Amino acid sequence: QVQLVESGGGLVQAGGSLTLSCAASGRTFSSAMGWFRQRPGTDREFVASIRWDGHSTLYADSVKGRFTISRDNAKNTVYLQMNSLKPEDTAVYYCAASQSLFTTKDDYDYWGQGTQVTVSS
């Protein structure tokens, strides 16, 4: 079992930045990790993912160049640095663990509870 706890969400103005953190516990931190987000009335969508060793990453086109995913395996933590935030980035952000570098939510086995990010215009 893997337990994931997100933090770092909040309210920010458009153009601002936020860094989300996801602390993992429960077993060896060797999974690929992903960030997803869900806006009201929409399905949960892929944002970014990172391989267990941090050497490979994937991004959704909508965040490419603005968001950066990283991880610190010594701290069992994965991060999502979000810059140049837009109102359309407003969503609940979830981190998730998977066996490999996937972009589909059904391929992720463990999920955090989510953290709200609100970007005001």
Side-chain angles (χ1 to χ4, degrees):
Q1 284 282 42
V2 176
Q3 291 79 44
L4 304 173
V5 179
E6 302 97 335
S7 61
L11 174 64
V12 64
Q13 287 189 331
S17 298
L18 275 178
T19 299
L20 305 182
S21 299
C22 174
S25 62
R27 71 175 191 189
T28 304
F29 192 59
S30 59
S31 303
M33 298 294 295
W35 285 98
F36 288 75
R37 66 186 182 188
Q38 188 164 20
R39 290 173 269 209
T42 68
D43 201 5
R44 196 169 297 188
E45 64 176 2
F46 171 76
V47 174
S49 59
I50 187 167
R51 205 171 72 174
W52 69 271
D53 59 0
H55 287 209
S56 185
T57 57
L58 295 173
Y59 293 94
D61 287 343
S62 58
V63 307
K64 204 171 291 184
R66 299 188 299 123
F67 291 10
T68 302
I69 188 171
S70 62
R71 65 190 297 164
D72 184 341
N73 287 348
K75 296 182 178 179
N76 285 354
T77 301
V78 64
Y79 305 96
L80 185 69
Q81 173 69 42
M82 305 185 294
N83 298 327
S84 302
L85 283 162
K86 305 175 182 179
E88 52 263 44
D89 294 317
T90 295
V92 177
Y93 283 72
Y94 298 89
C95 73
S98 177
Q99 296 182 17
S100 189
L101 203 62
F102 296 119
T103 61
T104 305
K105 65 181 187 333
D106 292 342
D107 291 317
Y108 284 77
D109 304 305
Y110 302 99
W111 293 84
Q113 81 291 347
T115 186
Q116 176 71 46
V117 171
T118 302
V119 184
S120 63
S121 57

